[in-house]
């Protein structure tokens, strides 16, 4: 089991911040292949009143947590 330390999460956050939009789409595609329900649980949020600007936060968290 991998331990997610603060240093690992900080590095992952920096990596995601530096990604291009295309790289983020590719990472989201990888997440979809391995955990489609996890991605779907975030993408459904607009149906519950979350606007697109607010949706960026949970998507960013998902990308950071999924960063290899």
């Amino acid at each position: 089991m991998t331990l997610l330390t603060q240093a690992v999460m900080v590095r992952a956050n920096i990596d995601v911040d530096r990604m291009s939009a295309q790289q983020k789409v590719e990472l989201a595609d990888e997440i979809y292949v391995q955990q489609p329900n996890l991605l779907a649980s975030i993408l459904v949020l607009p149906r519950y009143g979350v606007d697109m600007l607010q949706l960026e936060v949970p998507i960013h968290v998902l990308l950071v947590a999924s960063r290899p």
Side-chain angles (χ1 to χ4, degrees):
M1 180 187 234
T2 304
L3 179 63
L4 290 177
T5 64
Q6 183 177 6
V8 169
M9 294 304 292
V10 167
R11 182 75 238 164
N13 186 52
I14 291 168
D15 290 347
V16 169
D17 283 341
R18 291 182 177 167
M19 291 174 119
S20 68
Q22 181 60 38
Q23 290 171 314
K24 290 178 182 179
V25 168
E26 290 170 7
L27 181 54
D29 287 343
E30 290 177 31
I31 294 167
Y32 175 75
V33 168
Q34 296 184 18
Q35 296 286 333
N37 292 335
L38 186 59
L39 182 59
S41 67
I42 290 175
L43 296 179
V44 74
L45 291 174
R47 291 187 182 186
Y48 295 97
V50 175
D51 66 38
M52 294 308 285
L53 188 57
Q54 292 171 319
L55 190 62
E56 289 182 31
V57 174
I59 290 174
H60 184 80
V61 171
L62 177 63
L63 294 177
V64 168
S66 300
R67 184 78 181 124

